[in-house]
Amino acid sequence: MIKPGDVISYLEMCTEEGVNLQRGMNYNLLGNISVILMSLRPNAPYSDKIEEEGRILIYEGHDINKTQDTPIPKLVDQQMKNPSGTLSQNGLFYKAAQNYQKGKRAAAAVRVYEKLYRGIWVYNGIFKLIDAWQEKADDRKVFRFKLELIEEIPDRIRNRQPEPILEHNRMIPPSVKLEVWKRDKGKCVLCGSTYNLHFDHIIPFSKGGSSLVAENIQLLCARHNISKRDKIE
Ligand SMILES: [Zn+2]
């Protein structure tokens, strides 16, 4: 069971979802949950943004696959449909957001993972998909998806996989994660362990601590994260 802020490997991420995650957008996987992978590293292929103190994620849709006819997908509009006519991942997420906007269905639940370095991922938590639109960016059309961090896990997901939200955490911006990772050298600040690491809020968000500054975030191993939590509660 993983918690928001946990550092995991690619393999652990796939094990958690029960599938081999090959692409960035995965609509409706096992147990009615969708998964998106994000990266805000400087050379990342898509421009994802974090707003409202880490409560809102604006996620960019994905390009078509590179083919002989489209050697540079970045020059072509992002597509609602696959060449076969079925909805693309953009289309599936877009339709779900539209249906939510029209009151036809509950917001889709989306688990968000973020790539920190090659092979190193961070789990950012469960979000709900609340809006989607298309816009012009560099002379082509791209999709944008608006996701909001869920404070309380809906029953339909809780049944599948209990996930404690003990501190109402906010998503830590990638730049802050990278700064902390470098500063703490990828180790628990208390014991130096490099296993089961977690981005810990030194002062919890619920007690006024910020997610936005590296000074309030540290790396702890699972053991020290749990012992710290026991002291706080
Ligand atoms: Zn430790």
Side-chain angles (χ1 to χ4, degrees), residues 108-210:
V110 184
R111 277 149 72 94
V112 177
Y113 294 92
E114 177 189 337
K115 189 177 188 175
L116 198 61
Y117 287 105
R118 195 189 169 91
I120 302 176
W121 293 78
V122 184
Y123 175 49
N124 276 336
I126 298 183
F127 289 70
K128 54 183 181 176
L129 175 62
I130 55 173
D131 202 1
W133 63 92
Q134 290 176 285
E135 65 181 36
K136 278 260 180 204
D138 298 329
D139 283 336
R140 65 171 187 145
K141 260 198 292 189
V142 299
F143 284 84
R144 303 269 186 226
F145 300 97
K146 184 173 185 179
L147 299 114
E148 184 184 338
L149 194 60
I150 289 180
E151 305 271 347
E152 221 166 291
I153 307 292
D155 279 338
R156 66 197 154 100
I157 300 163
R158 201 187 287 137
N159 291 341
R160 175 198 164 215
Q161 221 164 25
E163 181 173 305
I165 302 193
L166 296 174
E167 33 183 339
H168 284 262
N169 261 342
R170 290 300 193 269
M171 188 168 39
I172 303 161
S175 58
V176 173
K177 288 200 193 86
L178 281 171
E179 195 182 335
V180 170
W181 184 267
K182 281 183 197 155
R183 184 198 64 204
D184 296 347
K185 303 187 171 62
K187 297 174 184 170
C188 172
V189 295
L190 295 179
C191 70
S193 171
T194 55
Y195 293 102
N196 296 325
L197 294 173
H198 176 85
F199 281 93
D200 173 62
H201 288 66
I202 297 172
I203 302 170
F205 187 86
S206 57
K207 295 194 164 60
S210 174

Side-chain angles (χ1 to χ4, degrees), residues 17-175:
E17 296 307 332
V19 289
N20 196 0
L21 294 164
Q22 299 279 17
R23 55 188 181 204
M25 299 175 71
N26 305 270
Y27 184 72
N28 233 7
L29 294 180
L30 300 172
N32 272 335
I33 195 151
S34 302
V35 172
I36 58 175
L37 311 182
M38 59 182 278
S39 170
L40 285 89
R41 304 155 80 215
N43 57 351
Y46 297 105
S47 67
D48 304 327
K49 280 193 296 255
I50 289 173
E51 296 176 351
E52 296 187 29
E53 288 242 321
R55 203 174 60 85
I56 298 286
L57 168 65
I58 307 291
Y59 187 80
E60 186 184 330
H62 282 191
D63 300 334
I64 58 171
N65 290 331
K66 190 170 160 178
T67 62
Q68 264 185 339
D69 290 338
T70 49
I72 310 174
K74 288 273 172 224
L75 296 179
V76 184
D77 287 347
Q78 291 183 349
Q79 298 296 316
M80 185 81 78
K81 289 183 175 173
N82 296 313
S84 64
T86 56
L87 286 175
S88 66
Q89 290 293 316
N90 293 328
L92 291 167
F93 278 82
Y94 183 82
K95 202 175 151 201
Q98 293 293 307
N99 284 337
Y100 168 70
Q101 288 268 328
K102 289 177 197 152
K104 284 190 194 164
R105 56 157 289 171
V110 184
R111 277 149 72 94
V112 177
Y113 294 92
E114 177 189 337
K115 189 177 188 175
L116 198 61
Y117 287 105
R118 195 189 169 91
I120 302 176
W121 293 78
V122 184
Y123 175 49
N124 276 336
I126 298 183
F127 289 70
K128 54 183 181 176
L129 175 62
I130 55 173
D131 202 1
W133 63 92
Q134 290 176 285
E135 65 181 36
K136 278 260 180 204
D138 298 329
D139 283 336
R140 65 171 187 145
K141 260 198 292 189
V142 299
F143 284 84
R144 303 269 186 226
F145 300 97
K146 184 173 185 179
L147 299 114
E148 184 184 338
L149 194 60
I150 289 180
E151 305 271 347
E152 221 166 291
I153 307 292
D155 279 338
R156 66 197 154 100
I157 300 163
R158 201 187 287 137
N159 291 341
R160 175 198 164 215
Q161 221 164 25
E163 181 173 305
I165 302 193
L166 296 174
E167 33 183 339
H168 284 262
N169 261 342
R170 290 300 193 269
M171 188 168 39
I172 303 161
S175 58

